[in-house]
Amino acid sequence: METEVDGKIFGEVFWTDEYENFWVRLNEVLELHKERNPLRCVEILDFIGRNANHRPNDVTLSHYKNSSLSPLSLQYLEEAVKQGLEISVFHCLIIMDIWFEAANQKNQTLFDKAVNVMQQLDTEKVVVKNQEAESEYFHAYSHLWRDRESYKSFAQRWGL
């Protein structure tokens, strides 16, 4: 995706009304993948979110503060969990970040949904798909763990 788009078209997608056509087209693209490959939808939304925040190459999940993006991403992650797909550590971090941001924003519905998705997740289905990148994100988002022991345990289990 990064090679196909320079990011400029995403610049103001969350903050102006004139991008309604963008969201219509995006929904058409997501429809193509939502049942067979919901994780592809998550990747597309993550890419758009990073570019919309002008941080395409940073270790950031800051775009999950956005109330439009988080529920959509969580919907596709929930579908992937229901299908029993392998979920990367990165995907776990997205769920945890949505959970964290929902708590900070006092969005009880989104918080409950994120907790539910995490509870449904089979830890045997969690895998490391990109060791270097996922390790970098994992350490950058250590604040998502409530205690140091769970953080260390997670790191040890997945070699991060």
Side-chain angles (χ1 to χ4, degrees), residues 20-82:
E20 188 174 315
N21 289 334
F22 171 83
W23 285 101
V24 169
R25 178 66 184 119
L26 176 60
N27 283 329
E28 291 171 359
V29 171
L30 295 175
E31 281 292 319
L32 298 173
H33 300 288
K34 77 176 188 177
E35 289 177 18
R36 287 184 322 211
N37 193 357
L39 293 176
R40 179 66 176 148
C41 296
V42 174
E43 291 168 5
I44 291 167
L45 292 168
D46 182 63
F47 175 76
I48 291 167
R50 283 184 287 116
N51 278 282
N53 284 327
H54 308 290
R55 296 174 72 177
N57 300 314
D58 287 353
V59 176
T60 183
L61 296 175
S62 66
H63 48 285
Y64 289 105
K65 292 178 183 177
N66 182 281
S67 61
S68 299
L69 192 64
S70 292
L72 275 174
S73 296
L74 195 55
Q75 168 189 326
Y76 296 116
L77 287 161
E78 180 178 36
E79 182 59 31
V81 168
K82 284 180 182 175

Side-chain angles (χ1 to χ4, degrees), residues 107-157:
N107 183 337
Q108 191 65 46
T109 303
L110 187 60
F111 177 83
D112 290 344
K113 186 162 179 117
V115 168
N116 185 43
V117 172
M118 200 57 131
Q119 288 174 337
Q120 291 178 42
L121 183 61
D122 178 358
T123 56
E124 297 301 315
K125 296 286 186 177
V126 177
V127 296
V128 176
K129 292 187 177 181
N130 181 331
Q131 181 73 37
E132 184 179 330
E134 288 176 297
S135 182
E136 192 174 351
Y137 271 88
F138 176 77
H139 293 293
Y141 283 86
S142 61
H143 66 276
L144 297 176
W145 274 262
R146 289 189 174 145
D147 62 68
R148 197 77 183 142
E149 288 307 310
S150 340
Y151 173 76
K152 287 179 184 178
S153 175
F154 193 98
Q156 184 177 16
R157 177 156 183 199

Side-chain angles (χ1 to χ4, degrees), residues 3-14:
T3 58
E4 299 166 8
V5 181
D6 64 11
K8 291 179 184 173
I9 65 168
F10 303 119
E12 300 296 323
V13 72
F14 296 133

